[in-house]
Each structure stands twice: as C-alpha cells, then as structure tokens.
Amino acid sequence: MNSDPASGHTGGLTHIDESGAARMVDVSAKDVSARTATATGRVLLAPEAVAVLRSGEVPKGDALGVARIAGIMGAKRTPDLVPLCHPIALHGVKVELTVVDTGVEITARVKTADRTGVEMEALTAVAVAGLALIDMIKAVDPGAVITDVKVAEKTGGKTGRWTRPGESRSGPG
C-alpha cells in the first residue's frame, strides 16, 4: 500500500482520496530523476496491406512516417487525453514501426528528467501511432487491429528498472 502523508492519503490506491474520489497524485516531494519508459504494440494487417506497406504504395501516402509523427505527438499530448496524468517535460520520444509478415510492430521510448514516470506517454505513443497507421491503411485493410499495447520497460524513480518478464532490454534510444 502507498502512503501520502502530505495529502492526507494514508493507504490504498494513490489516485483515490479518503472519500473515494479520483485525484491527481501530489508528486512535488518526489526527487527529480532521469526516467524512461518503453512500450510496444502491434497492428495486425491482412497480407495485402503488408505488401502495400512494403512496396511504399499506400494510397494515402507515407503511412509509416505519418504514424511515427502521430505517435510522437500523442506522447506530447498524454495529459490532455489521460485525465490524471501529470504534464511533464519530455526530453525525448522515439517511435519505431517495423513491418513484419503479420502487420507492423510499434516501439516507443520516452525520456524525461522529472518527478514522475513516462509510462503513460510511451503507451499513448504506441496507441496513437497504431491509430494513425490504421487510418492510413484502412482503404486497403478495413479489418486492421491494434493489439498487445504494453509497457515493456521503465527506468528511474524510486523503483529503478523494471522489465516485463520475457521482454528484451533493447529498443529505440
């Protein structure tokens, strides 16, 4: 259980106050530290859509480039989309999209030096990149699916490094 004496919160979920109402956690007493988060996900596509991506002949244009920029923009707008996220300065966002036989693998790595982590920003980058990719490819594959969006690794803060079991520690820098 977490404890936040400064706010009067004495245990339980950190985003819930004593009356059960949702609240933004006060992170002002936390130390500033370098923090990173890597998130991954996939867009499952029909073979025809994979072929179009590989050939560079997507009817709407550079689908992978648009999705990459959309992912970066999504990370930057996370506090506008996820109600209890803190607005923090992002010092780096890198989004990679790799075409594979079953679709596109997406990896986002987000960096900051702040009082709270960037897991939500990394997750948002992956999800928004996936949405943008689907928008770019939907004429070819209206059945595209975003799947397996998850945090693969985080570093920094009081808990240090955490890596999802079974995940490698590589990814965009």
Side-chain angles (χ1 to χ4, degrees):
M1 295 293 170
N2 293 318
S3 192
D4 184 6
S7 70
H9 187 258
T10 58
L13 300 173
T14 60
H15 284 75
I16 305 293
D17 70 13
E18 307 79 30
S19 68
R23 69 180 181 111
M24 181 182 271
V25 174
D26 179 358
V27 297
S28 62
K30 287 184 169 186
D31 291 332
V32 171
S33 70
R35 299 166 185 266
T36 67
T38 301
T40 61
R42 297 184 296 157
V43 176
L44 302 178
L45 296 169
E48 180 182 327
V50 171
V52 169
L53 283 170
R54 286 182 169 152
S55 72
E57 297 177 5
V58 176
K60 281 185 148 183
D62 181 10
L64 298 175
V66 169
R68 185 178 308 99
I69 296 300
I72 293 167
M73 292 174 65
K76 292 167 58 174
R77 300 298 300 260
T78 299
D80 296 330
L81 300 169
V82 182
L84 300 179
C85 282
H86 294 86
I88 58 176
L90 300 182
H91 296 127
V93 179
K94 186 169 186 180
V95 177
E96 289 185 345
L97 295 98
T98 305
V99 180
V100 297
D101 290 344
T102 57
V104 177
E105 294 178 351
I106 305 169
T107 302
R109 183 167 174 87
V110 181
K111 296 179 180 183
T112 191
D114 214 313
R115 289 178 166 84
T116 190
V118 286
E119 296 92 340
M120 294 309 299
E121 287 77 2
L123 289 165
T124 301
V126 170
V128 172
L131 290 169
L133 181 62
I134 287 175
D135 182 51
M136 294 294 290
I137 200 78
K138 67 186 177 194
V140 178
D141 184 2
V145 175
I146 299 171
T147 187
D148 299 319
V149 177
K150 62 187 179 261
V151 174
E153 181 181 57
K154 61 141 303 272
T155 67
K158 184 171 60 173
T159 58
R161 178 180 298 275
W162 176 85
T163 302
R164 179 174 296 281
E167 295 284 326
S168 71
R169 288 169 33 166
S170 63

